[in-house]
Amino acid sequence: MRSYLLPSILFITDIVTIVIVAFISLFIRFDGHIEPQYINQMVDALPLLLISYMLMFLIMHLYTRIWRYAGMREVLAVFVATTIGTALFYSSMFVSVSYTHLTLPTT
């Protein structure tokens, strides 16, 4: 595979994976019976979710690393990117609640 195509394919794969996992989490949370209001709220929150994670993945250079020789440095980069991405998402959700009343279901 061409080396310049691989980062693009990984980027698109991560976007699709994040979207699928977001809806699977709703499915698990509501035991398979998701009310339409929660689906709409998740669709509204997806841009914040995708931007926060993909921005951190790009900042941490996860798409330009050589994964054939992955070690603790790459594991740490993934951990930091996902942790900061999650914190960024939840802080942006906290800010957006006061302006748009965008909320997600909690347990």
Side-chain angles (χ1 to χ4, degrees):
M1 180 174 298
R2 306 253 188 243
S3 62
Y4 61 87
L5 285 178
L6 187 60
S8 301
I9 292 170
L10 292 175
F11 189 81
I12 292 169
T13 303
D14 280 345
I15 290 174
V16 170
T17 303
I18 290 170
V19 170
I20 290 171
V21 167
F23 285 104
I24 288 175
S25 68
L26 274 182
F27 186 79
I28 292 171
R29 164 66 175 87
F30 292 109
D31 295 326
H33 304 288
I34 309 169
E35 295 180 22
Q37 71 180 19
Y38 294 122
I39 293 175
N40 293 336
Q41 289 173 350
M42 181 59 78
V43 169
D44 291 341
L46 275 177
L48 288 174
L49 183 67
L50 289 173
I51 288 171
S52 62
Y53 277 106
M54 302 316 288
L55 180 67
M56 288 312 304
F57 290 173
L58 289 171
I59 289 173
M60 295 300 294
H61 302 286
L62 295 184
Y63 300 112
T64 58
R65 292 178 182 262
I66 301 175
W67 288 100
R68 182 178 301 166
Y69 307 107
M72 285 306 295
R73 186 173 291 156
E74 284 74 24
V75 171
L76 182 62
V78 170
F79 177 76
V80 168
T82 54
T83 302
I84 296 175
T86 302
L88 187 62
F89 171 67
Y90 280 111
S91 61
S92 62
M93 285 295 292
F94 180 75
V95 170
S96 69
V97 165
S98 58
Y99 294 112
T100 63
H101 303 292
L102 175 64
T103 59
L104 289 176
T106 56
T107 308

